[in-house]
Amino acid sequence: MNKELNLDELESVAGGMLGGSLTNYVTKQGDTLWSIAQWCGIDVKELFRMNRGVIEEWFKKMNPGKPVPADDQLINYLYVGMTLKVPSDGR
């Protein structure tokens, strides 16, 4: 059985960054995931998916002993000094 992936499916598997390169962005006072996504020209949920692990690690570090919230809440936690992966194309 031969199953082929179309470009959209392949980008989904690749995290939406097929053919693109990433760079680091260090968060600063006043940043939101939404504002960074707007600056990068990508969907905020895509930016969250790319950086979910980092956001979760920082949540645990800043809120010891508290359970990690579900993604729809975790997306709101951004801390100054976090290093996020963002698309570097044209930035």
Side-chain angles (χ1 to χ4, degrees):
M1 176 186 277
N2 183 12
K3 180 172 179 191
E4 295 182 24
L5 292 175
N6 67 34
L7 184 57
D8 289 341
E9 291 171 320
L10 190 54
E11 281 192 357
S12 176
V13 171
M17 293 304 304
L18 187 64
S21 57
L22 298 176
T23 191
N24 291 332
Y25 176 83
V26 178
T27 58
K28 58 189 180 306
Q29 184 76 29
D31 278 342
T32 64
L33 211 56
W34 182 86
S35 66
I36 297 168
Q38 292 294 303
W39 175 74
C40 293
I42 64 172
D43 181 74
V44 69
K45 289 182 180 177
E46 182 177 349
L47 182 60
F48 175 74
R49 281 191 299 271
M50 292 167 55
N51 291 285
R52 188 193 183 290
V54 172
I55 295 169
E56 183 177 336
E57 284 178 34
W58 272 77
F59 178 88
K60 289 177 181 178
K61 179 173 122 179
M62 302 301 281
N63 302 280
K66 289 189 179 179
V68 176
D71 287 356
D72 64 336
Q73 293 298 310
L74 187 61
I75 198 170
N76 297 312
Y77 286 87
L78 202 66
Y79 301 95
V80 173
M82 294 173 76
T83 301
L84 302 178
K85 295 291 184 189
V86 298
S88 62
D89 299 342
R91 305 294 178 266

